[in-house]
Amino acid sequence: MSEFIGLAVLFGSAFGTAIGGVVAFALLLSSEKYWRQYTLPLILGTMLFGMTAGTLLSNRNVSLAGQDLSEVATTGSGASTWLLRLCSFGVVAICCARIGGTLFQAEKKISAGNMLLAAFLCFFVSNSLSNAILGTHPAFVHGIYYAAFIFIAAYLGRHFPVDSVLTVARNGLLTFMLLSLAIAIVKPDLAIQRNYAGFVPGLSIRFWGLGSNPNSIGPLAAVLILITLLSPFRQRLLTWGTLGIAALVLLLTQSKTAWMALAMAMGIMATHRVMAKANSPDQKFDRALVIGIALCTFGVLGTITLYSIDLNRLIDRILATDTGAQITTLTGRTQIWQVAISAWQANPLFGYGVTMWDPLHRYQIGMPFAFSAHNQWLQSLGGAGTFGLAGLLIYMVVALRFAWRAASSTGGISLALAVFLIFRCITETPLETDTLFNGDTLVHLLTFIILLAFGAPPSPPRKEAT
C-alpha cells in the first residue's frame, strides 16, 4: 500500500509539474509580443548571471591547478547545479517563446541574414546532430542542442535595434570583470592559480576570475575591449576605465592565444580604418590593400623584433624553463591532435561522435587534461569527420563575408571579431557550444549578433501587385 501511495505521489508531482510548465509556457508565449525586443538582452543577461553564480557557488580550488586538475573539477553544491538548470530552462523557454511568436503571430518577414543562419545551422547539424547518430560512438547529449535555440532567437531579433544588446553586453562583461577582480581578493583560491611559469616577468599567478578557466575569461576581456570601442560610454572616463580593466584582466590571465589574437584583430581593425579614410573607389583593390598592408605591418614588426634581440640567447633561456618545455610540444597539443586524427581515420565521414573528450574518452586515451582537440578544425574532423569539417568551413567563409560587409559600419570591429575567433581556432575551440554558461559560447553569440546586425544586406523591396 505504501508503495502504491508513493507511486501515486510521484506520478501526481510529475503530472502537476508538466501541467504547470505547459501553462507557464502558454502565458510566456501569449505575452511574447510585449517583450520580444528584449529577447537578446534577456538571454545575454541570463548567460552572464549563470556563469557568475555557478562559479561563486562552486567549491573549486584553482590555486594548484597546474599540479592537480581534480581540485578544479570538483563539483559545486546542489544549489549551484539547480541554479544552472533553472538558468538553462529560462534561456530555452525565452528562445522557444520567441520562435513560437514568429510562427503563430503576424510579424514582418525579413530575409536579410538568411545566409548566415543557414551557414550556422549547417555547422550545427554537421557537428552536433549527424555525428551523434552516425558517429563511431552514437550518443544523445541534450546540453549541446540548447545553442541552436539561442542562435535562432538571435536571428529572429536581427531587425530590432542592436544598441540595447551592445549596452547589456558591455555593462554585463564589465560587471563580470569587476566581480572577478573582487573575488580574487576575497577568495583567492577560487580565482587565482599560483606558481604559474608564464611570459610576464615577475608574474607567477594566472587569473581565472569567475571564468571556467583563464582561456575563457581572457577572450571575454578581449571582446569587452572591442565592444567598448564599438559602443563606448558617453563619459570618456568610463570608456577608458573599462578598457583599462579589460586589459588588466587579459594580462593577468596570461592567455597567450588571446593576446596574439587580439593583437592581430586590432591590427586588422586599425588597417581598415586607415584605408577607410582613403575612400578607395575600387572595392577589390581596397580589400587587397588592407590585407597587404596588414601582412607587411606584422612582417616589418617581426623583422625589427628579431634583429633587435639576441635570438639564440633568448631561445636558450626560454627552452630552459617549464614554459619552454611546453612550447616544444605546444603544451602537449601535438599528442591531442594525433588522437583527433586517429578518431577521424576510424570513421572518416562522421568521426567519433559528440562524446569525444568526455570523461570516459579522456580516461580511455590516458589524457585527463584533454578537454578538447585544442584546434577547431581538428575538433570537427575528429568528432564529426569530414562532414563536420565541411560544415565548419562553410560557416567560416560565410561569417567572413558578413564581417567584411559590416566593416564600414563598425569601423572594422566586425573584421576584428572574426579574425579574433579564427586566430583562436589554431590552438583552441572557440566555436564549440556544448554549454550555455561558457565564455566561448558568449563570444560566439555576440559575434553572430553583430555580424547579423551590421553585415546582413538589406532585403529587396517587395513589388506590390497591380
Side-chain angles (χ1 to χ4, degrees):
M1 184 66 180
S2 59
E3 293 180 358
F4 176 77
I5 294 175
L7 287 174
V9 171
L10 183 62
F11 176 79
S13 300
F15 183 76
T17 302
I19 293 297
V22 171
V23 172
F25 182 73
L27 293 174
L28 190 66
L29 184 61
S30 63
S31 63
E32 182 270 338
K33 62 182 179 181
Y34 300 108
W35 53 263
R36 62 178 53 164
Q37 66 269 30
Y38 305 113
T39 300
L40 293 180
L42 281 172
I43 292 173
L44 292 174
T46 305
M47 292 174 67
L48 280 168
F49 173 77
M51 290 169 56
T52 303
T55 303
L56 285 174
L57 294 175
S58 71
N59 295 321
R60 78 177 189 185
N61 185 340
V62 304
S63 60
L64 300 176
Q67 289 76 37
D68 186 9
L69 283 174
S70 62
E71 289 293 325
V72 180
T74 300
T75 56
S77 62
S80 173
T81 302
W82 279 103
L83 178 65
L84 292 179
R85 288 175 180 173
L86 286 174
C87 288
S88 298
F89 178 79
V91 169
V92 173
I94 291 172
C95 294
C96 289
R98 182 69 187 93
I99 295 169
T102 302
L103 294 175
F104 302 127
Q105 298 177 16
E107 187 173 327
K108 184 180 179 181
K109 306 297 182 183
I110 299 178
S111 61
N114 288 353
M115 184 65 71
L116 186 61
L117 176 67
F120 170 78
L121 291 177
C122 179
F123 166 68
F124 179 78
V125 169
S126 61
N127 283 264
S128 299
L129 288 178
S130 61
N131 56 336
I133 301 171
L134 301 172
T136 304
H137 299 272
F140 175 75
V141 183
H142 62 86
I144 66 176
Y145 303 115
Y146 297 159
F149 292 98
I150 63 174
F151 278 83
I152 292 174
Y155 164 79
L156 295 176
R158 67 198 182 284
H159 56 283
F160 290 117
V162 74
D163 295 344
S164 60
V165 179
L166 295 176
T167 299
V168 169
R170 182 198 63 202
N171 296 348
L173 286 173
L174 175 59
T175 304
F176 186 79
M177 299 302 160
L178 290 173
L179 288 174
S180 294
L181 292 171
I183 204 67
I185 299 173
V186 177
K187 195 174 181 181
D189 287 348
L190 187 143
I192 296 179
Q193 175 184 341
R194 299 189 180 94
N195 301 321
Y196 180 75
F199 279 108
V200 181
L203 188 63
S204 60
I205 65 168
R206 197 175 192 196
F207 188 67
W208 290 53
L210 294 174
S212 57
N213 57 69
N215 291 329
S216 175
I217 191 173
L220 284 176
V223 168
L224 175 57
I225 292 174
L226 294 175
I227 289 181
T228 303
L229 293 176
L230 179 61
S231 178
F233 289 93
R234 293 182 179 179
Q235 295 82 8
R236 184 173 296 181
L237 183 61
L238 283 176
T239 299
W240 282 105
T242 300
L243 294 175
I245 290 170
L248 174 62
V249 171
L250 182 59
L251 175 68
L252 293 176
T253 62
Q254 302 214 53
S255 177
K256 295 174 282 294
T257 301
W259 293 350
M260 291 186 287
L262 182 62
M264 180 68 74
M266 296 292 283
I268 293 293
M269 182 190 72
T271 303
H272 181 274
R273 291 190 176 188
V274 169
M275 291 309 305
K277 293 182 180 179
N279 293 322
S280 174
D282 190 347
Q283 181 83 1
K284 294 182 180 178
F285 174 75
D286 179 62
R287 183 180 308 181
L289 201 56
V290 168
I291 297 173
I293 290 179
L295 292 176
C296 290
T297 301
F298 287 109
V300 170
L301 290 176
T303 302
I304 293 174
T305 302
L306 289 176
Y307 277 98
S308 63
I309 60 176
D310 186 344
L311 188 58
N312 291 329
R313 183 181 177 186
L314 177 62
I315 292 175
D316 291 339
R317 289 182 60 185
I318 291 176
L319 294 180
T321 64
D322 293 337
T323 303
Q326 294 175 353
I327 291 175
T328 58
T329 60
L330 290 175
T331 320
R333 287 182 172 93
T334 52
Q335 298 175 6
I336 298 173
W337 293 344
Q338 184 57 52
V339 171
I341 293 173
S342 298
W344 167 68
Q345 291 173 337
N347 188 340
L349 197 56
F350 297 105
Y352 183 95
V354 295
T355 56
M356 191 171 187
W357 312 114
D358 71 354
L360 177 60
H361 181 242
R362 297 198 304 269
Y363 172 78
Q364 291 172 340
I365 62 176
M367 294 182 179
F369 52 85
F371 293 93
S372 71
H374 288 281
N375 178 283
Q376 187 65 61
W377 297 285
L378 288 177
Q379 177 84 4
S380 291
L381 190 67
T386 305
F387 189 55
L389 180 61
L392 170 64
L393 293 176
I394 291 172
Y395 183 42
M396 282 186 167
V397 170
V398 174
L400 280 172
R401 184 182 179 186
F402 272 71
W404 181 259
R405 284 177 179 165
S408 59
S409 55
T410 61
I413 289 178
S414 61
L415 280 174
L417 284 167
V419 168
F420 180 78
L421 275 178
I422 292 175
F423 188 92
R424 290 184 60 219
C425 288
I426 299 173
T427 58
E428 297 174 4
T429 56
L431 298 181
E432 291 301 295
T433 53
D434 52 353
T435 175
L436 297 182
F437 308 107
N438 178 277
D440 288 340
T441 303
L442 190 60
V443 170
H444 186 183
L445 177 61
L446 284 171
T447 303
F448 184 84
I449 291 171
I450 290 172
L451 295 186
L452 271 178
F454 295 100
S459 301
R462 289 185 176 182
K463 294 182 180 181
E464 295 183 3
T466 57

